[in-house]
Amino acid sequence: MVRAALADTGLTDPTVVEALDLGGSEPTADLRLAVEALAARLDQEAWRIQEREGDSAHYLAAFKQARAASAVFFSLNPDVRGSAADALYEAQAALGSVESLRTHLSL
């Protein structure tokens, strides 16, 4: 689901690419912090765009990328139960609807 959110939003930042390439290995604390910082930076960027442009297409794209980065962050959490729900929530926000999430889940 996280990969679908990243693909849908076009977020290809090297930090999220590294996080997805772990191959089942535990993420380092530094990587988790870097992904968290990326998500926060993208959130701030989205807020700045919204303040200037309102709910424009540019804002929506930035918002979705921030949500996709947050989905990556939550997917790296060692508390699998809580983080899975948070990652799915953020992925759904990045994909734009529950229907999009369901479509990706049924694949």
Side-chain angles (χ1 to χ4, degrees):
M1 207 41 33
V2 171
R3 288 181 190 274
L6 292 171
D8 192 66
T9 63
L11 183 58
T12 59
D13 185 278
T15 306
V16 296
V17 171
E18 180 182 349
L20 293 179
D21 287 341
L22 289 173
S25 300
E26 287 289 318
T28 64
D30 287 344
L31 180 58
R32 283 185 41 79
L33 287 172
V35 173
E36 184 178 33
L38 173 65
R41 183 176 55 79
L42 291 171
D43 262 335
Q44 288 299 318
E45 184 178 322
W47 283 113
R48 282 192 295 272
I49 294 167
Q50 188 184 41
E51 287 173 358
R52 282 192 321 264
E53 303 175 14
D55 291 340
S56 67
H58 188 214
Y59 159 72
L60 187 56
F63 171 81
K64 287 182 174 189
Q65 282 195 342
R67 303 287 50 83
S70 290
V72 173
F73 171 71
F74 286 118
S75 75
L76 298 175
N77 191 329
D79 173 19
V80 176
R81 184 173 295 193
S83 64
D86 290 333
L88 278 172
Y89 174 82
E90 295 290 355
Q92 176 272 313
L95 291 167
S97 70
V98 172
E99 290 76 29
S100 292
L101 181 67
R102 286 183 183 140
T103 298
H104 287 285
L105 285 173
S106 67
L107 297 177

